[in-house]
Amino acid sequence: MSEHRYTLAVIVGSTREGRFAPVITDWFTQHTADHRDIDVDVIDLDTIRPYELRYGSEEYDAFAGRVAAADAFVVITPEYNHSFPAPLKHAIDLLRAQWQAKPVGFVSYGGISGGLRAVEQLRLVFAELHAMTVRETVSFALAGNLFDDDGRLHDPAPAHQAADALLHQLGWWALALRDARAARPYGA
């Protein structure tokens, strides 16, 4: 493994039936394929079913292990009622040490705000867990209007530019914090 390679866990935060999250997730993970220094692990909460996870169960340990193995995170979240989905909050709250001293970025979508109000609340949650959120985000206002029926963006340039900026910041922090954790374990 290259010292500049890192594992990015993409957390898909929506579990609602008919959700738009798969379109956003497919676009983002396809975009990360151009970044050869990233190994992507998609953690879809619709599959994980966080409310069913019980401490010590095989499923819980698998989820905790995947989060622990990640060097960085991207949370894909819609905005529901000026906030983020409850299953996402539950999944985050299931763990503690696995999030610590790691960078978190956001890809959000929603109505006119593009999910940014959900992101602002998530920043507070991750700060409490001693995770480091990066400034750059990717945000899709009125997301359903931006993609065609095949899940391709009508105008991909702005989103690609935002995603590259996000991944650049995450990569820097992922490597810096991984080196720091190796040199001296984080003890919050």
Side-chain angles (χ1 to χ4, degrees), residues 71-90:
D71 297 304
F73 306 97
V74 164
V75 176
I76 297 179
T77 185
E79 181 178 314
Y80 298 155
N81 302 318
H82 289 220
S83 190
F84 55 93
L88 177 56
K89 177 68 162 96
H90 187 73

Side-chain angles (χ1 to χ4, degrees), residues 55-150:
Y55 183 78
S57 70
E58 186 176 315
E59 295 81 8
Y60 175 93
D61 290 344
F63 172 62
R66 289 171 74 183
V67 173
D71 297 304
F73 306 97
V74 164
V75 176
I76 297 179
T77 185
E79 181 178 314
Y80 298 155
N81 302 318
H82 289 220
S83 190
F84 55 93
L88 177 56
K89 177 68 162 96
H90 187 73
I92 293 167
D93 289 346
L94 285 171
L95 307 174
R96 182 161 183 80
Q98 294 87 343
W99 303 112
Q100 291 178 343
K102 294 180 183 179
V104 182
F106 304 97
V107 175
S108 64
Y109 61 98
I112 196 69
S113 77
L116 292 176
R117 293 176 289 219
V119 168
E120 289 307 309
Q121 292 189 22
L122 281 164
R123 289 183 191 285
L124 297 171
V125 171
F126 280 108
E128 185 62 25
L129 292 169
H130 298 252
M132 208 297 294
T133 62
V134 299
R135 183 191 175 282
E136 298 298 328
T137 63
V138 181
S139 175
F140 296 103
L142 305 171
N145 298 333
L146 303 177
F147 291 82
D148 66 19
D149 292 340
D150 295 321

